Amino acid sequence: QVTLMESGGGSVQAGESLRLSCVASRYTRTRYCMAWFRQSPGKEREVVAVFSTGDGDQYPDASVKDRFTISQDNAKKTLYLQMNNLAPEDTAMYYCAASFGLDYCQGFDPKSFNYWGQGTQVTVSS
């Protein structure tokens, strides 16, 4: 069973940076779609950034483009999300999600992803 473990969340001031990490355990596939989602209280879970072996990085959420960068280290089986110039509206629980054995993401709906981490909290104060 594949497991995903996020880390790197915390409480920061507006304008500061954080880097989230997601370590994937017990998988051997080289083709995948992995993503970062976030969810604030009372809101639906929304996709922030996506990386797939076929398309590379994508940022469906226009509000994070030019501030957030998704990347991956295959040797370490780790997905990253570098978040710069954080704003209070970025406050949320951030989740790592993945589907393996495919080169392209099957959409950005949470139901498209087979594996999820437990989440890491990001809190940005003004």
Side-chain angles (χ1 to χ4, degrees):
Q1 177 73 3
V2 173
T3 60
L4 303 177
M5 179 67 74
E6 304 97 333
S7 63
S11 297
V12 297
Q13 298 287 319
E16 294 184 341
S17 300
L18 283 173
R19 188 176 80 158
L20 306 183
S21 298
C22 171
V23 179
S25 302
R26 293 195 288 275
Y27 86 93
T28 58
R29 303 291 186 90
T30 58
R31 302 158 62 211
Y32 55 82
C33 166
M34 297 186 74
W36 288 99
F37 283 77
R38 64 184 178 186
Q39 187 169 22
S40 303
K43 294 187 177 181
E44 293 187 352
R45 193 169 297 190
E46 59 181 10
V47 65
V48 174
V50 177
F51 186 95
S52 67
T53 48
D55 283 328
D57 59 338
Q58 296 173 276
Y59 301 92
D61 184 347
S63 72
V64 308
K65 193 167 173 55
D66 298 328
R67 296 190 301 125
F68 291 9
T69 303
I70 188 171
S71 62
Q72 46 77 42
D73 185 329
N74 284 330
K76 295 182 179 180
K77 297 184 179 180
T78 302
L79 183 75
Y80 301 101
L81 184 67
Q82 177 67 43
M83 306 186 293
N84 297 329
N85 193 20
L86 283 160
E89 51 266 36
D90 295 317
T91 294
M93 183 71 80
Y94 283 71
Y95 297 91
C96 175
S99 290
F100 297 103
L102 44 77
D103 283 317
Y104 301 94
C105 299
Q106 305 299 300
F108 301 141
D109 188 286
K111 296 179 181 178
S112 300
F113 293 84
N114 297 327
Y115 300 98
W116 289 86
Q118 294 299 308
T120 185
Q121 177 68 37
V122 172
T123 302
V124 186
S125 56
S126 57

